[in-house]
Amino acid sequence: MKRAAVIHRSPRALRHNLALARSLAPGRHVWTVIKADAYGHGMEWAAGVLEDVADGLSVSCLEEARALRDVGIGAPILVLQGPRSAAEWRLCASHDLQPVLHEEAQLPGLEALREPLPGLWIKLDTGMHRLGFVPLKAQSLYAQLHRHPAARNGLHWMTHLACADQPEHPQNAVQLEAFSHAVAELPGKRSFANSAAVVSGLASATKLGEWLRPGIMLYGASPLDGENGPERGLRPAMTVTAPLIALKSLEPGASVGYGATWTAERPTRAGVVAIGYADGYPRHAPSGTPVRVHGRECPLIGRVSMDMLEIDLTGVPEARVGDSVTLWGQGLPVARIARAAGTISYELLTRVAERLRVAES
Ligand SMILES: *Cc1c(COP(=O)(O)O)cnc(C)c1O
């Protein structure tokens, strides 16, 4: 059962944003990050759109990588969380996956592997303190693994920045220095740049990362604090719309929705839109959060309900039941809605519910 609300996906926007990433860090290779169902856009859809134009696809876990192989995706695949058992290491070899080694506990399974991997990435923890080995271990891991059959096609190096979305943050330089120092004498490819590092210029400012790993920018949202995306030339790959299902006239003093948190101060034309928090619209979006109707912005009024929300349509007198309302996307960057709701674009995009219908645009 599908709802009347629609996710419009734009393959052209996705490819345009990848081309933009390439232009911001020329000469690099790109792992396009399509984990978390391609940030809510549909992993198989994104893989199909990007396969021919990306250098590879990147997912979080083996389940995702396997699903891509099962539908015939042949592109190189980087698995960010890597295998957790000998069987999973074998699965990487048999499915032609490039796993990430980031933790001691993964080593026995890797040691037992006899088949070559298409590539093995070692993650160093240079300051994020999430996944990765201490940089001091790079040399000894190399010594231990570079002759191992699994590493026959190459041992590569990656790290992840904690503060790339704040390009001036001193931790960026500290982490890049630690990474550079740790791998200076070692062969292999290097990768550190997420979208924020690409957009801010951190990636192009150093020779250190031949492989980029952009995610959010591919979908059209800016990764940088306080930005939306369009000002960087990014185009939204997802637009969410839902129909107006009721109109009503409110007298001054009339309140709207659960908790009666919003009250009309003047005669108001209100509209009810068929989308709510069960569809992935953020419940914390306050009154005043914009939606778009007939090319104009209108404010949300009252609390978001499970399957509905209400808007002030006084400024759009031509609006009728059945008209389409844009919640975010084309003409209304998801980052603005995220900021209003006290979250980030990533969360809104990844939470869009499967019960919405999907259309190409
Ligand atoms: C998710 C992820 C990325 C992509 O991050 P964006 O901010 O979406 O560009 C890159 N590298 C790693 C390790 C990740 O987990």
Side-chain angles (χ1 to χ4, degrees), residues 74-291:
I77 298 179
L78 174 71
V79 187
L80 294 167
Q81 290 177 7
R84 294 184 307 254
S85 66
E88 290 191 349
W89 280 102
R90 284 197 299 278
L91 195 133
C92 289
S94 64
H95 286 64
D96 206 26
L97 308 175
Q98 303 192 33
V100 174
L101 174 71
H102 57 77
E103 151 70 41
E104 295 286 340
Q106 292 175 290
L107 278 166
L110 170 59
E111 294 282 0
L113 187 62
R114 286 292 144 249
E115 299 82 34
L117 296 162
L120 173 61
W121 291 77
I122 300 182
K123 188 162 194 179
L124 301 177
D125 176 6
T126 55
M128 173 91 171
H129 299 128
R130 195 174 59 180
L131 299 185
F133 295 94
V134 294
L136 264 178
K137 279 217 71 172
Q139 290 281 353
S140 64
L141 283 165
Y142 179 78
Q144 179 183 354
L145 294 172
H146 80 284
R147 286 211 184 78
H148 192 279
R152 193 181 304 152
N153 296 317
L155 260 185
H156 311 299
W157 306 94
M158 60 186 279
T159 195
H160 198 56
L161 301 179
C163 304
D165 61 335
Q166 305 159 64
E168 306 305 322
H169 198 293
Q171 180 149 344
N172 293 315
V174 172
Q175 287 196 248
L176 287 176
E177 174 56 30
F179 188 48
S180 166
H181 186 255
V183 299
E185 310 284 309
L186 299 170
K189 299 165 184 162
R190 290 134 168 68
S191 174
F192 75 87
N194 59 2
S195 299
V198 173
V199 170
S200 67
L202 281 173
S204 61
T206 163
K207 289 206 181 65
L208 196 53
E210 303 98 308
W211 281 75
L212 312 173
R213 302 192 310 267
I216 193 77
M217 73 179 297
L218 301 176
Y219 308 103
S222 175
L224 300 185
D225 260 2
E227 289 193 356
N228 293 326
E231 70 273 57
R232 295 275 180 176
L234 295 167
R235 298 184 191 157
M238 176 197 291
T239 296
V240 177
T241 64
L244 268 175
I245 56 168
L247 293 171
K248 57 193 62 226
S249 300
L250 304 176
E251 296 301 325
S255 68
V256 166
Y258 288 118
T261 61
W262 185 89
T263 304
E265 283 169 5
R266 54 183 165 108
T268 298
R269 194 154 173 267
V272 180
V273 187
I275 191 166
Y277 61 80
D279 299 299
Y281 191 89
R283 202 186 79 92
H284 293 290
S287 291
T289 303
V291 304

